[in-house]
Amino acid sequence: MPPGGVLGSVPEGPFKHKIMIPFNEAGPVKVTWIRGDSFSIDEVVARYQTSAGEERELTLAQRWPIRRPIPENLLRKRYVERQFPAIPLTTATRIIDTFFPIAQGGTGCIPGPFGAGKTVLQSLIARYSSVDIVIIVACGERAGEVVETIHEYPETADPRTGGTLMDRTIIICNTSSMPVAAREASIYTGITLGEYFRQMGYHVLLIADSTSRWAQAMRETSGRMEEIPGEEAFPAYLDSAIKNLYERAGVIRCTDGTTGTLTLIGTVSPAGGNFEEPVTQSTLGTVKTFLGLSADRAYKRFYPAIDPLLSWSRYLDQLAPWFKKELDAQWVDDVKDMMALLERGDGIYQIMQVTGEEGISLEDFIEWQKSVLLDMAYLQQDAFDEVDANMPRERQLASFRLLKKLLTTEFKFQDKEAARDFFTRITGLYKNWNYSRADSPDYERYMTEIEQLAGQYQSLHLMP
């Protein structure tokens, strides 16, 4: 049996905890004895013989150095295989799933200033994401936030399993009052646990909050060791340390033929919202999805406060085959068209800031109003509404198609006031539609009212 091979399993809550041959064995081993009956975690459950003829004992627990990736030896000897991420992580947050997707087994970061909504956003991602296990590393967080999380999760219903969110969540508490060395080790501990469950074939999401405080702990440790400092006194190896951390995420085909994924999302807390500082820049050079939170959008109560003109995702094109097969053949092109509309709308808004509404044409005003409709009705989402907070991909597709019809329709208005009135009314209807359950009468009623209102002002038929 190869290293990482599965001998059996033990029920552990809603999961089956696999009993595996130690990952650091040099080669295949021969199992000589397996114990039956019940036993504790520290008791010997099996014996095996290594290729060198040495007899060893196996318990339900394995010891592992957290700074060393678990599949390192297995990959080198081809007992497991690293695969290309090909499936998106469904978070039920429209702006992420549609415009800035994250792959299962991929990487992302959420930088933003204080008060921009990082905590609520990561809580939504943890609750609704299409993963089996969630690991939250509270690295240097305030004790109050950690206590709130510990109290909240056991009382939060899990839409995936029907139990509580705590049933499939691991929380590694490392508050700002704890030792610096523990703060630096906390993220490594979390990612090692994630790799362990990935080797069992589970889909794991690790949320590291925050990597900025982890890097600050690294800076303090480096200073005490009198190492040569780099930019802003961070250690010279900061960039490589961040890259090594994120590279431990990925998709692995395990020794028993199952496939496990480890998705890593790190939140960054740059001082004053300065995205030019070393931790943010090193992270940007590593991850494939950047969800930049904006203090201006948070101030306007635009939540989630992800700035669509600042954020980006390299997974949109990478996952195009999945989107074309599962959603729509034109999905990626349509998303890019909507992004272009947001950019044009922002350009028109900047002109209006100087000249006022009188300085732009009616056509430009309508174009700006369309971009505002897209922002208000689709990019914004109510985290405290049971329906709107959790929008599955099927409904996101229906919503996106309806919005596409509205935004690609040529409307005719007498003046800017009539255009403003129309878009204000249709935005209100659209938001009410977002709050309506798919099986409720309000769902069809609001959709009908939206189409009827659009039909009163359109000069062309709605595109199919």
Side-chain angles (χ1 to χ4, degrees):
M1 183 170 287
V6 179
L7 287 177
S9 62
V10 177
E12 186 180 11
F15 305 101
K16 283 187 176 180
H17 192 104
K18 294 182 180 179
I19 307 170
M20 295 177 285
I21 299 296
F23 308 115
N24 57 352
E25 287 294 344
V29 302
K30 180 181 179 182
V31 179
T32 57
W33 174 77
I34 297 179
R35 178 179 176 176
D37 204 4
S38 59
F39 35 80
S40 66
I41 193 172
D42 295 322
E43 293 183 68
V44 177
V45 298
R47 295 190 183 94
Y48 62 90
Q49 192 177 66
T50 66
S51 55
E54 182 181 352
E55 193 82 12
R56 294 181 181 174
E57 297 179 337
L58 181 67
T59 66
L60 296 183
Q62 293 193 39
R63 297 180 65 86
W64 191 265
I66 59 175
R67 296 177 187 273
R68 179 184 172 192
I70 283 179
E72 183 179 54
N73 177 58
L74 305 177
L75 286 168
R76 186 168 56 249
K77 298 191 176 181
R78 300 184 183 276
Y79 293 123
V80 299
E81 177 187 357
R82 183 179 288 272
Q83 298 181 336
F84 200 65
I87 300 175
L89 176 76
T90 300
T91 66
T93 300
R94 292 187 293 264
I95 187 172
I96 298 177
D97 292 346
T98 301
F99 289 89
F100 311 111
I102 303 173
Q104 278 192 358
T107 56
C109 72
I110 308 176
F114 176 78
K118 290 194 296 296
T119 302
V120 174
L121 179 59
Q122 68 186 27
S123 178
L124 288 173
I125 294 174
R127 183 177 182 183
Y128 296 117
S129 290
S130 55
V131 294
D132 302 313
I133 297 170
V134 178
I135 300 174
I136 297 177
V137 181
C139 179
E141 287 297 301
R142 293 179 293 276
E145 287 191 11
V146 177
V147 171
E148 182 180 346
T149 301
I150 294 174
H151 282 289
E152 179 184 336
Y153 276 44
E155 299 175 357
T156 303
D158 183 6
R160 186 176 177 86
T161 63
T164 67
L165 191 57
M166 199 66 198
D167 293 340
R168 61 182 181 97
T169 302
I170 300 171
I171 301 176
I172 298 177
C173 301
N174 187 259
T175 61
S176 55
S177 60
M178 293 183 180
V180 173
R183 194 184 312 168
E184 185 189 358
S186 60
I187 292 184
Y188 289 112
T189 303
I191 202 162
T192 302
L193 286 172
E195 289 176 335
Y196 185 57
F197 284 105
R198 179 178 61 183
Q199 289 302 128
M200 297 184 192
Y202 290 117
H203 301 293
V204 185
L205 169 64
L206 172 65
I207 298 178
D209 185 18
S210 76
T211 56
S212 292
R213 296 187 179 95
W214 168 68
Q216 289 165 7
M218 191 188 307
R219 175 171 62 184
E220 190 169 340
T221 303
S222 175
R224 292 180 181 181
M225 296 173 64
E226 299 182 359
E227 295 176 340
I228 298 176
E231 186 178 357
E232 294 190 17
F234 284 104
Y237 49 82
L238 172 68
D239 188 68
S240 62
I242 290 176
K243 283 180 168 56
N244 288 337
L245 182 72
Y246 281 96
E247 284 174 356
R248 292 175 68 169
V251 183
I252 296 290
R253 185 187 59 79
C254 308
T255 51
D256 61 349
T258 60
T259 300
T261 64
L262 173 57
T263 308
L264 175 54
I265 300 177
T267 65
V268 186
S269 307
N274 175 27
F275 290 173
E276 300 300 321
E277 56 91 34
V279 179
T280 305
Q281 288 300 307
S282 295
T283 305
L284 284 178
T286 306
V287 301
K288 285 194 170 184
T289 298
F290 172 71
L291 305 173
L293 300 184
S294 166
D296 291 337
R297 288 179 69 83
Y299 180 77
K300 296 174 183 176
R301 299 295 186 265
F302 284 11
Y303 290 109
I306 298 171
D307 191 334
L309 303 179
L310 181 66
S311 307
W312 47 262
S313 173
R314 298 192 184 103
Y315 290 119
L316 184 61
D317 291 319
Q318 179 177 319
L319 301 174
W322 189 93
F323 290 127
K324 290 179 180 179
K325 179 181 178 183
E326 301 294 334
L327 295 181
D328 190 297
Q330 299 298 319
W331 179 262
V332 175
D333 292 334
D334 289 342
V335 170
K336 291 181 178 180
D337 288 342
M338 295 300 104
M339 281 297 303
L341 172 63
L342 290 172
E343 292 173 357
R344 293 196 301 272
D346 182 69
I348 295 170
Y349 178 73
Q350 298 301 327
I351 295 174
M352 289 171 54
Q353 292 293 94
V354 178
T355 65
E357 291 184 6
E358 298 78 11
I360 62 172
S361 65
L362 177 60
E363 290 74 17
D364 284 346
F365 185 80
I366 295 173
E367 186 85 347
W368 172 64
Q369 287 285 354
K370 285 183 176 181
S371 71
V372 173
L373 172 62
L374 174 59
D375 194 348
M376 300 284 287
Y378 198 84
L379 302 190
Q380 294 180 47
Q381 207 162 342
D382 191 342
F384 300 99
D385 182 82
E386 187 177 348
V387 177
D388 195 35
N390 179 22
M391 183 169 283
R393 282 197 182 271
E394 294 77 13
R395 181 159 177 178
Q396 289 186 37
L397 177 60
S399 178
F400 190 80
R401 283 174 172 169
L402 176 60
L403 199 58
K404 176 189 171 185
K405 288 181 181 180
L406 297 173
L407 299 179
T408 54
T409 297
E410 184 179 342
F411 294 107
K412 291 295 183 181
F413 302 101
Q414 292 182 349
D415 51 30
K416 295 173 183 176
E417 193 60 39
R420 180 186 291 106
D421 178 68
F422 167 78
F423 281 104
T424 300
R425 291 164 60 194
I426 209 161
T427 299
L429 290 172
Y430 211 106
K431 284 191 171 184
N432 288 331
W433 183 66
N434 286 337
Y435 293 146
S436 305
R437 293 186 178 277
D439 56 354
S440 68
D442 289 339
Y443 181 88
E444 296 296 336
R445 179 170 65 87
Y446 283 123
M447 179 179 286
T448 302
E449 290 182 13
I450 289 171
E451 293 180 340
Q452 289 176 347
L453 180 59
Q456 297 175 15
Y457 292 91
Q458 69 183 48
S459 60
L460 299 173
H461 292 293
L462 290 177
M463 295 177 62

